[in-house]
Amino acid sequence: MSLDSDVIVDRRRIRRKLTFWRVVAALIAIVAIVTLAVVATPGGRGALATSGSIARVNIEGLIRSDQERVAALERLEKSQAAAVVVHINSPGGTTAGSEQLYDALVRLKAKKPLVVVVEGLAASGGYIAAIAADHIVAQQSSLVGSIGVLFQFPNFTELLKTVGVKVEEVKSSPLKAAPNGFEPTSPEARAALDALVKDSYAWFRGLVKERRGMDDELLEKVADGRVFTGHQAVDLKLIDQLGDEKTAVAWLVAQKGVKADLPVRDYKLTPRFSDLTFLRTAASITLDALGLSAIARQVEQAGVVQAVDRLGLDGMLALWHPAGAN
C-alpha cells in the first residue's frame, strides 16, 4: 500500500513538472511570435523595398505626430524601390501630425514616383496626407474631404457645481491654460481659440487650393467641412481618378515610366502590437471580464493602439468621424 502511494505521489510530481514546462514552452512560443512580428515589421528592417518592386505604404487610423513613421519614410526615400503607392484609410487626427506626415510624403515624392489610393476614407488630416501626391485615386464610394479644423474641450462647470467642488487657481495672466474646463470660457479665451482655428483653417485651405489647382469659387464649395464620395470628388477636383491599386499602378506606368511588370510589395512603417489579432482578441476578452464592454467594442473595432490614440488626441484636430450609435 505504501509503495502504491509513493508511485501515485511520483506520478503527480511528474504531471506537475510536465504542466509547468508546457506552460513555459507556450509562453516562450508566444514571446517568440511577438518578437518576430515586431522585429520583422519596423518600417525598413523587414520591409520589402527592392529595385524590382513598387512599395506599398498603408496609412490607417488616427494620424498624430510619429517620428518612427517619418524615419521609415526617409529610409524608403533611400531604398531601391521603383515607386510608391500610398493607401490611405483615415478620418484624420491632429493638425500637427497631419502636417508632419504631409511633409514626409512630399519629401518622399521628390525621390520616388508616388501615387495615393483612398481606400474607405481620406478625410481632414487624411486628406492633407493625400494631397501630398500629384495623383489621387479613390473608389467611387470612398469618402474624401472634410476640409476644416476643430478644437474641442470639455467643460465640467455645471457638474462641479452639482457635486460641490470648486477649483482654485493662481496664474500669471488671464489666458494662461485657457480654456481649462473648470470654469466658463471667457470671451477673450474663446477669441484666442477662434484665432488659432482660423489660422490653421487658412493654412489647410491654401494647401488644398495650391495642390489641387482650385479657384476661389470651387474652394468655397468644397471647404465647408463636408465629405464627398469619390464619384463627387472627381468633378470637384478633390481627386483625379476613380479606381483602385491597379489603376494607380497603371498611372505610374503611363505617366512616370515605371515598368509594367513590377510587383507591389508591402512596406511597413511602424511595428504595432494592435496588428496582432490574438493580442487584440485577448485584450477585448479581458475588458469584457472587467465589465468594460464599451471599451472592449472600441478595441475590437479599432485595435488597442487606436483606442488609446483616440482618447489621447490633444490640440487642434483635422478629424472627421460621425458620432457612433448609443
Side-chain angles (χ1 to χ4, degrees):
M1 187 67 181
S2 176
L3 181 60
D4 290 341
S5 298
D6 290 341
V7 171
I8 292 171
V9 170
D10 287 340
R11 286 179 177 175
R12 287 177 177 173
R13 286 175 180 171
I14 292 171
R15 286 174 183 170
R16 283 197 295 268
K17 288 181 180 178
L18 286 174
T19 301
F20 170 78
W21 287 112
R22 284 171 181 167
V23 171
V24 170
L27 290 174
I28 291 173
I30 291 172
V31 171
I33 292 171
V34 173
T35 303
L36 180 62
V38 172
V39 170
T41 61
R45 283 177 293 172
L48 298 173
T50 67
S51 57
S53 68
I54 297 170
R56 179 191 295 116
V57 171
N58 290 298
I59 306 295
E60 299 178 329
L62 296 174
I63 297 172
R64 62 194 308 168
S65 296
D66 188 339
Q67 289 298 333
E68 285 187 5
R69 181 177 58 212
V70 171
L73 291 173
E74 289 175 348
R75 287 193 293 271
L76 184 53
E77 287 179 35
K78 302 171 185 176
S79 75
Q80 297 302 310
V84 181
V85 177
V86 180
H87 288 255
I88 296 179
N89 188 14
S90 171
T94 65
T95 309
S98 302
E99 182 181 2
Q100 182 196 61
L101 176 56
Y102 169 84
D103 289 339
L105 291 175
V106 167
R107 291 193 297 270
L108 176 58
K109 185 190 66 174
K111 301 292 181 65
K112 309 281 184 185
L114 185 148
V115 60
V116 160
V117 177
V118 178
E119 293 292 344
L121 179 65
S124 292
Y127 187 66
I128 291 175
I131 59 178
D134 292 328
H135 197 76
I136 302 173
V137 177
Q139 298 279 2
Q140 180 167 295
S141 57
S142 297
L143 296 178
V144 298
S146 186
I147 299 167
V149 178
L150 174 69
F151 193 108
Q152 285 183 324
F153 54 94
N155 192 296
F156 305 104
T157 306
E158 296 303 318
L159 174 62
L160 294 179
K161 287 180 180 178
T162 301
V163 298
V165 175
K166 183 178 180 180
V167 178
E168 301 284 355
E169 65 180 5
V170 177
K171 54 186 180 180
S172 58
S173 58
L175 293 180
K176 178 63 179 175
N180 60 24
F182 301 128
E183 61 185 13
T185 304
S186 68
E188 294 78 12
R190 188 170 295 276
L193 293 176
D194 184 63
L196 289 177
V197 169
K198 286 181 177 177
D199 185 66
S200 290
Y201 178 50
W203 167 78
F204 194 170
R205 283 169 56 98
L207 195 64
V208 172
K209 181 179 180 178
E210 175 190 349
R211 295 294 302 145
R212 301 304 303 169
M214 293 184 182
D215 57 30
D216 290 334
E217 182 179 356
L218 182 56
L219 183 63
E220 285 297 326
K221 186 174 181 179
V222 301
D224 61 359
R226 286 182 291 170
V227 292
F228 302 90
T229 65
H231 182 259
Q232 293 172 317
V234 172
D235 292 335
L236 295 172
K237 299 181 70 172
L238 290 169
I239 66 170
D240 299 287
Q241 191 177 5
L242 294 176
D244 53 14
E245 183 176 88
K246 290 183 179 180
T247 311
V249 172
W251 180 83
L252 288 172
V253 172
Q255 300 298 323
K256 298 297 182 179
V258 176
K259 294 181 180 178
D261 58 347
L262 294 183
V264 182
R265 295 175 176 168
D266 286 328
Y267 182 87
K268 299 291 186 180
L269 294 180
T270 55
R272 287 290 177 97
F273 285 105
S274 61
D275 291 337
L276 303 178
T277 304
F278 73 91
L279 286 179
R280 183 183 298 187
T281 303
S284 177
I285 293 172
T286 301
L287 289 168
D288 266 330
L290 293 174
L292 303 175
S293 299
I295 298 178
R297 298 293 78 76
Q298 190 173 4
V299 168
E300 287 178 356
Q301 294 171 9
V304 177
V305 174
Q306 291 287 8
V308 173
D309 279 354
R310 187 172 294 280
L311 295 174
L313 286 177
D314 195 12
M316 282 185 293
L317 307 180
L319 177 66
W320 179 86
H321 201 287
N326 292 327

